[in-house]
Amino acid sequence: MPALVLLIFLPTILLSVVPYRIKFGLFYDFYIHAKLINTYIILLHHSDNEKITHKADLVIGCDGSYSLVRQEMLKRCRLDFSQSYIPHGYVEISMPGRTLPSGATEPVMPFNYLHIWPRKEFMLIGLPNLDNSFTGTLFMPFKYFDALQTGDDALNFFQEMFPDFIKLFGSENLLSSFKDWKVAGLVSIRCSTYNYKDRCVLMGDAAHAMVPFYGQGMNCGLEDCLVFKQALDTHPHNLEAALDEYSRLRVTDAFAINDLAMYNYIEMRSKVNSKLFLLRRRVDSFLHWLMPNTWIPLYTTVSFTRIPYHLCVENKSWQDMVVNRLLLTGLLGGVAVTAGALWKWLGHRSPLSVNFSWKSL
């Protein structure tokens, strides 16, 4: 719940605090254009093309996945950039609470959990809201969305794949949601650097948009700010060196969390139904209980520590190697014990004589 509250109220908190700390201005409904040669910011109003020009000491591009600041950077520096859509999209589906005779509502599922309906190629998730409802999100390949042309198509699909959803929230609710379905794409952004000299720096989705399956998008953006401050503290009198240091530290980690986010989608929609996967989770939990400072599961290191993302990946690779070697050692040991017992047993038996004739067959 704290993360949900933060997401809802963070803009209000920032807007109430920042003006008292620094000189601050707000401009609504403006396009932004950055001139990085002389570090100018040009704002153009959506409706009447009103133009406002500002001279900036530093342009910080936090303008999202389709960043206009990043587009300007592409013209000015050797910035390798890639934008990748996965073949899956998503839609949000209403999951209302249950209305009581008193008029109040209560959740229809346990509230303090992320609910997942994994179906190998696709999945449905439910996230709790403050009003006792859930926000449902269906992640699925576009080819399956394209096959759902009518409300009846959607209803038949859910009755086959998510029958408990229909029992919990009703077919009318699904049909009402279907009318507003707008299937959205999922994009990953990678950049080889996040700054241009001492004039511009990218943060958040402008630098490293990712698919949402690790829940780290906002956290990664906030961590950008922390690493940026540490770089400024390290190079207090050299802004360009600080920005170079920030890029060096963040690019590797952003690539790592991009890969982890995609991996976690496969895990959530498919692997959670695997007995081997669940066994490995139990092994990780046991070893973490046994050696809490040595064996830390991947999800814990990513979500609840300040360990850099790329080191989380390296730690997981080391854990996989250890577990695989333990399993191999156990398997070979079991084979050796079995072979020894069989040899001993065979050594005490008399030679096998077989007497039969083909006629008896």
Side-chain angles (χ1 to χ4, degrees):
M1 292 304 294
L4 294 175
V5 173
L6 177 62
L7 185 59
I8 294 170
F9 295 111
L10 181 60
T12 303
I13 295 171
L14 291 175
L15 292 178
S16 65
V17 173
V18 171
Y20 298 101
R21 301 291 182 88
I22 61 175
K23 188 176 180 180
F24 190 78
L26 295 174
F27 300 90
Y28 293 99
D29 296 325
F30 279 81
Y31 291 108
I32 184 171
H33 183 65
K35 289 289 187 180
L36 299 184
I37 296 178
N38 298 312
T39 327
Y40 277 96
I41 292 290
I42 300 173
L43 302 174
L44 295 175
H45 197 273
H46 280 252
S47 58
D48 59 12
N49 286 327
E50 176 190 355
K51 183 177 180 180
I52 301 175
T53 303
H54 286 278
K55 180 72 171 69
D57 297 315
L58 173 66
V59 176
I60 303 178
C62 304
D63 52 336
S65 303
Y66 306 101
S67 169
L68 296 177
V69 175
R70 186 183 63 232
Q71 288 185 25
E72 184 67 19
M73 276 184 62
L74 287 168
K75 304 172 186 176
R76 304 298 172 193
C77 62
R78 291 180 297 154
L79 167 60
D80 292 330
F81 163 74
S82 69
Q83 172 181 293
S84 303
Y85 283 94
I86 67 172
H88 297 234
Y90 73 95
V91 294
E92 291 191 348
I93 302 171
S94 173
M95 294 181 171
R98 182 186 295 113
T99 302
L100 302 175
S102 63
T105 60
E106 66 176 7
V108 299
M109 300 186 294
F111 198 65
N112 293 319
Y113 299 91
L114 163 64
H115 296 267
I116 307 176
W117 290 261
R119 297 296 184 267
K120 292 188 177 180
E121 283 191 89
F122 50 88
M123 69 176 182
L124 175 69
I125 68 171
L127 285 167
N129 298 316
L130 295 176
D131 62 356
N132 288 329
S133 69
F134 285 80
T135 296
T137 309
L138 175 61
F139 297 97
M140 192 165 66
F142 279 97
K143 63 181 181 180
Y144 292 124
F145 279 120
D146 292 342
L148 306 180
Q149 296 295 316
T150 67
D152 287 340
D153 291 339
L155 185 58
N156 291 335
F157 175 77
F158 268 73
Q159 286 173 337
E160 178 183 356
M161 304 306 304
F162 308 108
D164 48 343
F165 174 91
I166 300 298
K167 292 178 182 177
L168 287 170
F169 300 103
S171 56
E172 294 81 5
N173 175 65
L174 175 64
L175 292 172
S176 176
S177 294
F178 179 78
K179 295 176 183 177
D180 299 321
W181 273 18
K182 294 180 180 178
V183 183
L186 296 164
V187 67
S188 293
I189 300 293
R190 295 174 187 255
C191 300
S192 61
T193 186
Y194 295 151
N195 70 292
Y196 170 59
K197 298 182 178 180
D198 61 348
R199 301 176 188 177
C200 180
V201 65
L202 300 176
M203 292 185 180
D205 283 352
H208 45 64
M210 65 195 73
V211 293
F213 304 111
Y214 229 112
Q216 286 293 301
M218 183 176 72
N219 184 69
C220 190
L222 293 173
E223 195 172 67
D224 286 346
C225 302
L226 185 58
V227 174
F228 181 45
K229 180 183 183 303
Q230 292 171 344
L232 290 173
D233 291 341
T234 303
H235 305 279
H237 306 297
N238 189 334
L239 180 57
E240 185 170 357
L243 297 181
D244 288 342
E245 175 78 356
Y246 163 78
S247 286
R248 183 185 68 81
L249 293 173
R250 291 309 281 164
V251 167
T252 303
D253 280 332
F255 281 24
I257 191 57
N258 251 296
D259 292 336
L260 283 172
M262 196 61 234
Y263 164 80
N264 210 47
Y265 182 35
I266 300 171
E267 184 175 293
M268 292 170 71
R269 64 180 166 86
S270 180
K271 289 189 176 183
V272 292
N273 285 328
S274 165
K275 292 181 179 179
L276 287 176
F277 172 80
L278 296 175
L279 175 62
R280 172 59 192 273
R281 292 292 293 268
R282 292 190 180 98
V283 169
D284 280 334
S285 297
F286 172 73
L287 292 175
H288 182 51
W289 171 80
L290 192 65
M291 303 174 288
N293 296 321
T294 303
W295 195 278
I296 308 175
L298 175 64
Y299 187 82
T300 302
T301 58
V302 170
S303 300
F304 303 111
T305 75
R306 278 294 322 283
I307 298 173
Y309 294 122
H310 76 280
L311 294 183
C312 296
V313 174
E314 291 179 10
N315 181 60
K316 176 65 164 57
S317 298
W318 171 79
Q319 290 175 346
D320 288 345
M321 180 192 68
V322 171
V323 170
N324 291 338
R325 287 186 177 179
L326 287 174
L327 290 175
L328 181 60
T329 301
L331 178 63
L332 293 177
V335 170
V337 170
T338 302
L342 185 62
W343 179 262
K344 185 176 181 180
W345 178 68
L346 290 175
H348 288 83
R349 286 176 58 88
S350 59
L352 181 65
S353 60
V354 179
N355 295 311
F356 69 94
S357 67
W358 290 107
K359 294 181 179 179
S360 65
L361 295 179

